[in-house]
Amino acid sequence: MNINQPGSSGSVLNEGEAPAAALDDAVVRARVDALLAQMTVEEKAGQITQYFDFLTSQDEAKRVEAEVAAGRAGSLLFVTDPEDINRLQRIAVEQTRLGIPLLFGFDIIHGFHTVMPVPIAMAASWDPELVEQGQAVAAAEARAIGLHWAFAPMVDIARDPRWGRLIESAGEDPYLGAAMAAAQVRGFQGGYIGSPDRVIAGPKHFAGYGAALGGRDYDEVNLSDSELWNVYLPPFKAAIDAGAGNVMTAYMGLNGIPATGNRWLLTTVLRDMLGFDGFVVTDAGAAADLTTHGVAADLTEAGVRALQAGVDMEMAPPFGQSAYRRLPEALADGRITMAELDASVRRVLAAKIRMGLFEQPYVDIARARAVLSDPKHRTVARRAAERSAVLLRNDDNLLPLDAKALRSVAVIGPFADATRDSSGPWIFAQDDQETVTVLAGIKAALGDQVQVAYSPGVSVPARQFRSIFESPEHKQAPRIEVDDEAEIARAAELARGAEVAILVLGEAQIMIGENASRSSLDLPGRQQQLLDAVLATGTPTVVLLMSARPLDLKGSAPQAQMTIWYPGTQGGTAIANLLFGHVSPGGKLPFNWPRNIGQLPLPYARLKSHQPHKAEQRYWNEPNSPLYPFGFGLSYSSFAFDGLSFDRAEIAPGEALQVSVEVCNTGKCTADEVVQLYIHQRYGSAARPVRELKGFQRVTLEPGERRTVQFTLGPQQLRYWNAAARDWVQDESPFDVFVGSDSTAPLTASFAVRRAAPEV
Ligand code: BGC
């Protein structure tokens, strides 16, 4: 059978068709075999090599195009124009010997054209359905322009906000992280690989990348067995169980062995223990990096080690040399076998077949334009920004502001009208014209009758060291530069003359994300001085933090403070809806917010130890409790919890029990609460955290409305990885359960796990 011809078998697609259901395994295998039998060794090595195609760099683009034309490239990344994609695809399909289409991958992290709030924000919504919808929108836009594969979700647990990639994560908790990981995979991929308008999901970075020493991106990671299995792997497991078709490796070494050359990690753990059956790609240049780590003498050895560890595809370093290009040489020398090479080629070909690329390699550009401008996408982005904001303070119910009574507002700060920053990092294909800034959102909401004064307040400082994203390959945004002294004075004047001051402070998008670790949690530049000058006027002040890090306001106390993250292209409209009470905030922190950077890392799920009654007094100079706990977030309403009960007082290991709790909206407006359930195992064969999240539900309640919320606690929630047994165990023990609106919830009850007494 010629696999490029539409076949007569019902499972083979006709030209122009997207698979209506997952393709049958046997059909995929037969098509892969037929192709593989015709491929040369060079074509095989090329098929498992992915190149950056920075079209802004002519020489590099020419080099990459030559590889494609020679049938020596299986995949490209960083091409985002559908015309370029069609052109390059035509070279692969029409000009190469076997006509194997290219797989186009890209960092579709939180939207493509329509920008959703950043991933940490989406996690703060505690709303997996919304998260799934957001990534479905991103997938539809990306697929329409010809992309097939998202290098996302990033499911790394992040417990140190000095690490900039915290922004791409779901925060510090494995349970929340797993829920968000699975939701994102469902959003990207749909029901099966090859679903119409969807892309392959690639959870990353396997594994442990978020635990970089000192929060320094790319630095080494040393994780105990218990942390790896109980904290860092659960989101990967959830993404794999949700069907993720790809996994990306990590840059750093895990316990001394570089992740990308680590056979135990990529084969024993990933494939044998977690059951992953898709294809593995390196992080950019991470195979070649095996020489940097000092575990490979040269590029050829690096390629051999990566392949034998279980890496299928190399994301070759931009402007550099590919390690997988050397695989034919390694094969000739007997350092790898044809079977090893074929195993990886098979997985990549299978992904292309499942995606329907042989039948539909090109995209319809007119349709792509229509998809990118679909107004429904903007509605999802706006809702997401509304649902992810976290209200941290609201003294004397300053918020919501009454738009009808208001006469004057001062909107101040370098991020109040910052179009590019509002979208956050990892955004390359947005239309800044479409972005509604906070200032624009407020003006649109208030209309002409209210006086809205604006000042950027202070300059945005430059980074001391350039980011990898500050290069000609990436679009740059102008940085605000003003005379700080004069502008602070002017801003204070505007605040003095207004009924309310709204400050938008934070970090520029270039200060957070990859290659953006930071040794401080202070407001960058002179923003603290600006904040204090505005507070000194006595005008009621709302601080909106555009940031992913828990920034330290040094004890300054604005009446209201809300974290708006980087809210995306519809952010301004959403923020105005929140400020003026059209919706109530319902987002919750996905991390503990420290008082002081010296406390890091500060996970809420800590273990008990010596002198537990003094657990909050580990430092002599200040409490080591967080400023705001994990799961915290205020609402314009208030909620009460009671009636915590179980359907049984005792269960045997392996059994499940039902938990019920009543939640009531005791306030005056319709609002959302996230009902959170935490457990604590009192004793067993290992120390267990004081509290661990094991269930949550976001509910919307009218004033006075009560709802019974139910959770199931079974072996999945009650077992843990025991480092001594090197296995999952479920101990017999009493368990305390806590339910409420954050990780310090006081409502508690307990049940026991006990083996039934043996019959005599
Ligand atoms: C990042 C990955 C990303 C890749 C391609 C790397 O530097 O670590 O997360 O997917 O670049 O852009």
Side-chain angles (χ1 to χ4, degrees), residues 463-539:
R463 290 171 47 127
Q464 180 165 357
F465 303 109
R466 276 175 89 82
S467 157
I468 49 170
F469 299 104
E470 289 173 297
S471 65
E473 289 74 40
H474 303 101
K475 270 197 260 174
Q476 298 304 313
R479 202 160 43 79
I480 284 194
E481 285 189 276
V482 291
D483 171 347
D484 284 352
E485 282 303 321
E487 198 61 28
I488 290 174
R490 193 174 85 82
E493 221 24 65
L494 295 180
R496 200 168 289 117
E499 286 171 86
V500 183
I502 299 172
L503 264 77
V504 190
L505 307 175
E507 290 185 314
Q509 60 88 20
I510 203 76
M511 298 171 175
I512 187 89
E514 187 179 354
N515 200 226
S517 294
R518 187 165 177 237
S519 66
S520 162
L521 295 177
D522 296 355
L523 288 164
R526 298 181 64 182
Q527 295 181 83
Q528 182 71 44
Q529 200 184 326
L530 171 68
L531 168 61
D532 291 338
V534 170
L535 291 179
T537 64
T539 300

Side-chain angles (χ1 to χ4, degrees), residues 629-644:
F630 175 83
F632 178 78
L634 300 170
S635 155
Y636 295 155
S637 197
S638 53
F639 296 89
F641 294 85
D642 58 31
L644 176 58

Side-chain angles (χ1 to χ4, degrees), residues 51-53 55 58-73 76 84 87-88 91-92 95-96:
Y51 288 106
F52 277 84
D53 200 358
L55 295 166
Q58 296 268 309
D59 288 352
E60 180 67 355
K62 265 196 214 124
R63 187 180 72 80
V64 169
E65 222 168 287
E67 292 298 299
V68 173
R72 284 197 306 260
L76 299 182
D84 292 326
R87 184 178 59 79
L88 289 158
I91 298 175
Q95 293 176 28
T96 66

Side-chain angles (χ1 to χ4, degrees), residues 52 77-78 107 151 165 168 204-205 209 218 248 251 283-284 315 426 468 514:
F52 277 84
L77 74 152
F78 260 94
D107 291 283
F151 306 141
R165 300 197 83 169
E168 293 170 65
K204 64 189 187 185
H205 306 83
Y209 181 39
Y218 317 139
M248 187 186 287
Y251 277 132
D283 200 341
M315 187 188 289
W426 284 117
I468 49 170
E514 187 179 354

Side-chain angles (χ1 to χ4, degrees), residues 28-45:
V28 174
R29 208 172 311 122
R31 293 180 62 182
V32 167
D33 284 344
L35 257 185
L36 201 61
Q38 304 173 58
M39 294 174 79
T40 65
V41 172
E42 280 71 24
E43 284 165 346
K44 289 179 182 177

